[in-house]
Amino acid sequence: MKSLLIVLLAATLAVPLRSFAQPAPGASASPLVAKSPASETPDPDAFYRLGPDSLPQDGVPKGEIRGPFTLPSNAYPGTQHTYWIYVPAQYDPALPASVMIYNDGQAFLNAEGDVRAQNVMDNLIFRRELPVMIGVFINPGRRPDQPEPNLSEWGDHTTNRVTEYNTLDDKYARVIVDELMPALYKEYNISRDPDRHGIGGSSSGAIAAFTVAWQRINEFRKVLSNVGSFVDIRGGNAYPDLIRKSDKKPIRIFLCDGRNDNRGQRPGEPYNESRDWFLQNVRMMQALTARGYDLNYAWGINKHGQKMGGAILPEMMRWLWRDHQFSSDPNDAVERSFNVPKTGAQKPTDTQGKAVDKNSSKR
């Protein structure tokens, strides 16, 4: 018996400690984890994952992605903006649609990225949790000789992104309102009601979205902000004071940020609160709350990126668009059914985009 205990003890000690370093989500960590320096600082983004509302679902009609299109810019002469258009399967040219614009479009649209906004719109429009809406994914402006932004380089060093997104003037608002929207109105039946116009983004794209609504309140009134750069890149940390001093504007905004975002502590430099992303987002929340704005916010533990924002995008969109038209009539059979395309339009599809025959059985 004694020899058996010795063998078992030896086998236990032979187990590498690294096997305990990453417990499954929701599981209790082994006491050995606390002794490992690496396990004391796990990746704050590791536990943010996309849910079913962000993934293709069987039976849900898929919207069409059109583009890329090129939009020459008068606001920034010599540059152009690449954009894609999402047209939901339920779009009816006879009925005005809402519109949602995403800055850094390539990141929000990427089918393997952290957001996959087109799937969110597919799923939520189908269940009537969003109105029928046109989605627009627009990249920052660039000269024709500059590369298109991608998930590795969003354009801060290769395009006009820093200037367009972080400056508090009205130039980028002109791109959206005076250049992009007329092109959309020409091709699609989009409502002219500013309460049916939304714009969002991440990081610098988020502060750019807020600036568009701030500058053009008669055109955009819904703002989605993920890890917004309300910091002193081009004076963005001025917004909280500006909000407190200005008349309240009819803007609805959802802020999302994390405690491990960039915290204004560069190596070898003293702490700079004006470059603390999380603090400045909290200041935005406090200023907007003090002025009585229609505000929601979520603070996570995430780093600077789209991990948390992507995970909660469905809930952010539901909240932003919660006032879209609906019927509470219990006898309204249409309202109580899924939102499907009209007869002759696109059929429901499976997760690979293949049409689903409602008369066939699926095993």
Side-chain angles (χ1 to χ4, degrees):
M1 184 67 179
K2 183 176 180 181
S3 61
L4 177 60
L5 290 174
I6 293 174
V7 171
L8 290 173
L9 179 61
T12 301
L13 293 176
V15 176
L17 291 182
R18 64 177 177 272
S19 65
F20 297 95
Q22 295 295 332
S28 297
S30 164
L32 293 176
V33 176
K35 299 179 182 179
S36 170
S39 66
E40 292 175 359
T41 55
D43 182 358
D45 287 341
F47 297 94
Y48 293 104
R49 296 178 176 86
L50 296 179
D53 286 341
S54 301
L55 303 173
Q57 299 293 322
D58 285 346
V60 175
K62 294 181 69 66
E64 179 185 358
I65 302 297
R66 300 176 183 177
F69 302 104
T70 300
L71 182 72
S73 180
N74 292 319
Y76 298 98
T79 69
Q80 61 190 30
H81 293 80
T82 301
Y83 67 99
W84 298 260
I85 298 176
Y86 162 88
V87 182
Q90 298 86 347
Y91 171 68
D92 182 349
L95 300 174
S98 299
V99 66
M100 182 71 192
I101 295 174
Y102 302 91
N103 296 327
D104 290 311
Q106 55 85 21
F108 278 81
L109 180 63
N110 191 290
E112 302 299 323
D114 292 329
V115 180
R116 311 182 197 184
Q118 71 276 23
N119 295 335
V120 174
M121 290 186 289
D122 280 342
N123 291 323
L124 271 56
I125 290 173
F126 179 61
R127 298 200 306 264
R128 302 186 185 276
E129 295 168 18
L130 286 182
V132 174
M133 64 171 59
I134 299 293
V136 185
F137 301 84
I138 185 168
N139 277 354
R142 62 182 180 86
R143 300 191 311 270
D145 63 300
Q146 292 178 319
E148 200 71 69
N150 55 62
L151 290 183
S152 298
E153 169 53 69
W154 285 31
D156 284 339
H157 304 291
T158 56
T159 72
N160 203 37
R161 183 175 187 266
V162 173
T163 299
E164 287 186 4
Y165 284 5
N166 295 287
T167 307
L168 304 192
D169 59 23
D170 71 338
K171 285 187 178 181
Y172 186 65
R174 287 163 52 192
V175 171
I176 299 299
V177 175
D178 300 334
E179 298 174 2
L180 176 63
M181 290 301 292
L184 299 177
Y185 286 135
K186 184 177 180 180
E187 298 294 330
Y188 303 96
N189 185 359
I190 296 175
S191 171
R192 302 287 177 137
D193 182 353
D195 287 321
R196 295 184 64 182
H197 296 175
I199 185 168
S202 293
S203 188
S204 294
I207 188 174
F210 184 79
T211 297
V212 170
W214 185 263
Q215 294 284 350
R216 296 295 188 95
I217 196 58
N218 291 328
E219 299 292 338
F220 282 87
R221 293 184 178 175
K222 287 178 168 63
V223 178
L224 187 152
S225 171
N226 172 55
V227 296
S229 297
F230 298 100
V231 295
D232 191 14
I233 296 178
R234 296 290 177 94
N237 59 315
Y239 263 133
D241 291 336
L242 188 59
I243 290 167
R244 291 177 184 271
K245 295 175 182 178
S246 302
D247 292 339
K248 178 184 172 183
K249 301 187 179 187
I251 296 174
R252 174 180 295 173
I253 180 170
F254 199 125
L255 299 170
C256 166
D257 200 11
R259 295 163 176 83
N260 285 291
D261 199 345
N262 302 323
R263 298 307 304 268
Q265 294 174 307
R266 293 181 176 179
E269 297 182 8
Y271 169 72
N272 181 355
E273 72 171 30
S274 69
R275 299 278 293 192
D276 184 332
W277 263 252
F278 183 62
L279 173 64
Q280 296 304 324
N281 272 272
V282 171
R283 291 185 65 233
M284 284 290 291
M285 176 273 289
Q286 293 169 338
L288 291 163
T289 299
R291 296 294 290 129
Y293 276 76
D294 191 0
L295 166 73
N296 203 347
Y297 60 94
W299 304 146
I301 200 169
N302 53 295
K303 298 182 294 187
H304 194 74
Q306 298 197 111
K307 288 295 187 181
M308 179 184 175
I312 70 170
L313 179 65
E315 191 56 38
M316 296 172 79
M317 291 288 282
R318 287 188 191 96
W319 185 85
L320 280 172
W321 295 92
R322 68 188 188 273
D323 55 358
H324 71 88
Q325 186 175 2
F326 70 95
S327 169
S328 59
D329 182 356
N331 298 313
D332 189 337
V334 173
E335 184 76 8
R336 296 175 64 175
S337 65
F338 292 110
N339 192 349
V340 296
K342 287 187 175 181
T343 303
Q346 181 178 339
K347 296 180 180 179
T349 61
D350 61 18
T351 55
Q352 280 71 48
K354 298 178 181 179
V356 173
D357 184 352
K358 288 193 272 186
N359 297 319
S360 66
S361 61
K362 186 173 181 181
R363 299 182 182 274

